[in-house]
Amino acid sequence: MSLPAACLMQILSEDYSKAAFLCQDRSIQFHAKYGMHYSTRVPSFGRDLAYAPFSADLLVVGSTPQVLNLAEGRFLSPLPAKSPGINACGISQVHGLFGCAGDNGVLECFDLRKRTSIGTLNAAAAAGVADAELTAVRFDDSGLHCAVGTSNGLVALYDLRSSRPLLVKDHMYGDKITDIKFHSAHGSSGNTGRKVVSSDSHIVKIWDEQTGINFTNIEPQEAGINDICLWKDSGLAMLACDAPKIQAYFIPALGPAPRWCSFLESLTEELEATDAPAVYDDYRFVTKAELDSLGLNHLIGTSLMRAYMHGYFVDNRLWHKARSLAEPFAYDTYRQQRIQQKLEDERKSRIGLVKKLPKVNRKMAAEALLQQAADEVPAGAETSNKKRKVLPSVLEDDRFKAMFQDPSFAVDEAADEYKFHHPNAGNQRQSKKLLAEHFEGLEDEEEEDAGAEEEQDDEAEGSAGSEGDLDDSPDQHSKGKKRKASSQGQARMYVARDESAAAAFNQGRSMQGLQEVPLGQRATSTSGRDGVVTARCASSFPCTFPLSCTPLLQSRVKIRAALVLSDMPFSVHHCYTYLMCAAASRIVLS
């Protein structure tokens, strides 16, 4: 028979002889030296456990605080808590006050003698986080101070006589506080006074109770800190992590080693002789580029900047002030991005029949979709015996989702790094522009002729169908789609507009800028070897005339298109005659 897993343990005596275990199957097991003594079930699932030795009451909190009296051996009426759920609890060993940390951020205290609530405090709102939950609570040995931990990594220290926190400590990880302890330091290096030990799943912070100055940090290699245990009046600390072994740490500055492990003193003599390294707590690491963007580079070399590796440590308060001045609308921008992201997520949840390209890296996404379409096997195609494995598209892979959503991952084709890895990218774009300027597609004319024939057929069918019933044939609607699909995936044929366009394409130059220059200047700049200039009109009909007519060309006169398109031969005399007509068609140099 397998035993249920235990979540929490509570010692019921001064030694290990009696203990209670809160299990995950809604049961409590009582153990003695010889093993399990008794097991009972609680009305609801428990989240925390506490023991009041003066009344022999074992309190289990969850949805409601359940009270199990060990002297009578029965459950008493539950305490009337105002919070919908209680995450943690604690009992003061001085006056017996029972505190409950609610999931609505409220700290509620009970007097177990009257079994009624004697006061409530919205501790999360007083600490500056109104929407956070309370996850830990602890009373000190004096009975006057109480520390609570929140779900976003804050520890607030309260005096029971005041509703305002004395100190608020931030763990900087944004994770919930798992445990809080008070410890009296009696270290050999003169570090005396009371310390507060708070832990989350990543780090254990030990800081001064009066000033809040950080004393030291403990970061175990195994993440997931669940609990911390401090040996009284010593520097020995043990961590319960998500690992098979207990992590033990000895800090001589907190106190001496316990009597049963006094050999630790001799191992740390060399460490005590050296100065302890500086602890950069409540500081933020920034690089040189970030300092320039924040306007704090003039502080380099002062006491406000602590150089470390390839950057500096800056006080958190200074960093927040500088960032608010450098980026006053950072929160508004972040809020707009979050709203836009939620709207896009809602649109994605709707039924969509058309795949749209993302806003970021559209070219890369289009290539991925084309590759996916090429890899897919058609519905009626014959397949081999071995099934072809089709890999998922990059757009559907969660590992590369941010590459098509986050603008910071956008590929900048104008950057030097992109040009270095793609040296022919600019030439390909330029070739496409020159191809569209100097050449015409043969398929365009064929499609126009085919379209005219289909229009005539449609008119004939419409006149014949008017005598009977009118039916919309799906073939008629799919003619254009089939013609368009047939043109895709085949090699297209192009023809040069004229000889000058072909020559310009071979030379890799465009004629758009040349066409905007006045005709006289073009004639002077493009004159032939014999002082003869060749010109053409919009219909590509060439004409040749000597440079003596350039004064007439300076006036930007135009030749009528009808005269140029005629079959009559062109000569210099005709050029003079047509130029004097001031007609309307533009002359373009070849």
Side-chain angles (χ1 to χ4, degrees):
M1 180 179 178
S2 60
L3 297 177
C7 347
L8 294 170
M9 179 183 68
Q10 178 65 46
I11 302 296
L12 303 178
S13 61
E14 296 181 356
D15 53 5
Y16 68 95
S17 60
K18 298 178 182 179
F21 295 89
L22 177 62
C23 301
Q24 293 180 353
D25 62 344
R26 211 180 53 170
S27 65
I28 300 177
Q29 294 182 1
F30 296 93
H31 285 247
K33 291 183 179 181
Y34 51 83
M36 188 178 69
H37 174 73
Y38 184 73
S39 178
T40 184
R41 293 178 65 85
V42 292
S44 60
F45 286 96
R47 304 179 189 176
D48 200 0
L49 196 65
Y51 178 63
F54 43 83
S55 60
D57 289 335
L58 185 65
L59 298 106
V60 183
V61 296
S63 57
T64 56
Q66 302 290 337
V67 182
L68 174 60
N69 189 271
L70 301 183
E72 300 179 6
R74 65 185 182 91
F75 281 98
L76 303 180
S77 59
L79 300 178
K82 298 180 180 179
S83 300
I86 300 174
N87 297 325
C89 63
I91 296 179
S92 175
Q93 301 298 329
V94 179
H95 44 66
L97 201 63
F98 178 65
C100 296
D103 56 5
N104 57 353
V106 175
L107 174 64
E108 190 171 5
C109 296
F110 293 88
D111 186 358
L112 296 179
R113 297 171 298 181
K114 296 182 179 181
R115 301 187 181 278
T116 57
S117 175
I118 62 173
T120 58
L121 172 65
N122 195 341
V129 282
D131 56 344
E133 300 180 6
L134 297 184
T135 57
V137 59
R138 184 73 60 181
F139 293 94
D140 67 342
D141 296 337
S142 65
L144 296 179
H145 293 166
C146 176
V148 295
T150 64
S151 58
N152 56 356
L154 295 182
V155 179
L157 182 62
Y158 286 91
D159 191 319
L160 294 180
R161 297 163 293 185
S162 175
S163 60
R164 295 183 180 181
L166 302 176
L167 287 173
V168 177
K169 188 71 175 178
D170 191 356
H171 272 223
M172 301 295 179
Y173 277 98
D175 199 2
K176 68 175 184 178
I177 302 299
T178 57
D179 195 11
I180 302 174
K181 295 287 194 305
F182 289 91
H183 185 74
S184 298
H186 303 283
S188 58
S189 58
N191 293 306
T192 60
R194 297 175 57 83
K195 307 294 182 184
V196 180
V197 183
S198 55
S199 64
D200 57 15
S201 60
H202 299 86
I203 193 173
V204 176
K205 284 183 176 290
I206 304 176
W207 42 285
D208 189 83
E209 182 185 14
Q210 300 294 331
T211 61
I213 299 175
N214 194 71
F215 178 71
T216 188
N217 296 335
I218 301 177
E219 297 185 45
Q221 296 180 355
E222 291 81 3
I225 302 174
N226 297 320
D227 198 0
I228 179 172
C229 179
L230 296 170
W231 194 269
K232 187 176 180 180
D233 297 332
S234 72
L236 183 63
M238 289 169 284
L239 304 182
C241 305
D242 292 337
K245 296 183 179 181
I246 297 294
Q247 306 294 318
Y249 297 89
F250 177 55
I251 308 172
L254 280 181
R259 184 179 301 177
W260 50 272
C261 59
S262 58
F263 62 91
L264 294 177
E265 296 287 350
S266 60
L267 296 178
T268 56
E269 288 180 357
E270 296 180 0
L271 297 177
E272 291 181 357
T274 58
D275 296 334
V279 179
Y280 298 109
D281 188 40
D282 295 334
Y283 280 79
R284 186 179 295 270
F285 180 80
V286 294
T287 60
K288 184 66 168 57
E290 292 176 355
L291 284 179
D292 295 339
S293 62
L294 294 176
L296 298 178
N297 49 2
H298 64 282
L299 298 178
I300 297 177
T302 62
S303 59
L304 299 175
M305 295 286 176
R306 300 187 182 184
Y308 182 76
M309 295 179 65
H310 61 284
Y312 301 89
F313 277 109
V314 185
D315 190 272
N316 242 338
R317 295 168 295 179
L318 177 61
W319 182 84
H320 281 293
K321 290 181 180 179
R323 187 170 181 269
S324 62
L325 293 176
E327 301 177 3
F329 301 102
Y331 175 75
D332 297 338
T333 305
Y334 170 77
R335 185 171 178 270
Q336 292 295 333
Q337 291 177 355
R338 292 290 299 174
I339 294 174
Q340 189 66 23
Q341 183 179 359
K342 289 184 178 181
L343 292 176
E344 291 179 358
D345 294 341
E346 291 179 358
R347 295 192 190 102
K348 290 180 181 179
S349 61
R350 302 171 184 170
I351 299 176
L353 301 178
V354 181
K355 290 185 177 180
K356 295 184 179 180
L357 294 177
K359 296 181 180 179
V360 182
N361 294 329
R362 298 174 64 90
K363 183 178 179 182
M364 191 180 302
E367 294 177 356
L369 291 176
L370 292 176
Q371 184 65 27
Q372 183 183 11
D375 294 341
E376 291 179 354
V377 180
E382 296 181 358
T383 58
S384 59
N385 295 331
K386 296 183 178 180
K387 293 183 179 181
R388 185 178 179 183
K389 184 178 180 181
V390 180
L391 297 177
S393 175
V394 180
L395 299 176
E396 301 173 356
D397 199 331
D398 295 337
R399 297 174 297 174
F400 308 100
K401 185 184 298 182
M403 187 171 62
F404 302 100
Q405 295 178 354
D406 193 352
S408 59
F409 289 98
V411 178
D412 187 8
E413 298 184 0
D416 297 336
E417 292 82 359
Y418 184 85
K419 294 179 181 179
F420 177 77
H421 292 287
H422 305 81
N424 298 327
N427 298 335
Q428 293 177 358
R429 289 193 296 269
Q430 184 66 18
S431 300
K432 291 181 180 179
K433 293 181 180 179
L434 295 177
L435 184 66
E437 179 184 352
H438 300 303
F439 287 83
E440 295 179 352
L442 293 178
E443 288 82 355
D444 300 339
E445 298 178 359
E446 296 176 359
E447 289 178 0
E448 291 178 0
D449 298 339
E453 295 177 359
E454 288 180 1
E455 289 180 0
Q456 295 176 0
D457 297 340
D458 294 341
E459 291 177 359
E461 293 175 0
S463 59
S466 60
E467 299 176 359
D469 297 334
L470 293 176
D471 295 331
D472 292 337
S473 175
D475 297 336
Q476 296 179 359
H477 295 284
S478 61
K479 285 180 180 179
K481 295 183 179 179
K482 289 182 179 179
R483 184 174 66 252
K484 184 176 181 181
S486 62
S487 63
Q488 294 180 355
Q490 299 179 358
R492 299 191 63 184
M493 303 297 294
Y494 293 89
V495 61
R497 298 182 185 274
D498 50 26
E499 296 179 359
S500 60
F505 179 80
N506 293 331
Q507 297 175 4
R509 59 184 178 87
S510 175
M511 299 178 61
Q512 293 181 356
L514 185 63
Q515 295 175 0
E516 298 176 358
V517 180
L519 185 58
Q521 298 180 9
R522 280 181 281 165
T524 306
S525 60
T526 60
S527 60
R529 291 190 299 266
D530 300 332
V532 177
V533 176
T534 302
R536 62 180 177 86
C537 66
S539 62
S540 302
F541 190 88
C543 61
T544 304
F545 52 90
L547 286 177
S548 58
C549 66
T550 52
L552 296 174
L553 300 179
Q554 295 288 351
S555 60
R556 296 195 179 205
V557 296
K558 299 181 180 180
I559 301 177
R560 188 177 301 274
L563 297 176
V564 177
L565 292 176
S566 62
D567 296 334
M568 58 185 303
F570 234 82
S571 63
V572 177
H573 176 71
H574 292 134
C575 281
Y576 278 109
T577 305
Y578 296 152
L579 290 172
M580 296 301 293
C581 291
S585 179
R586 186 179 60 178
I587 292 181
V588 181
L589 289 179
S590 59

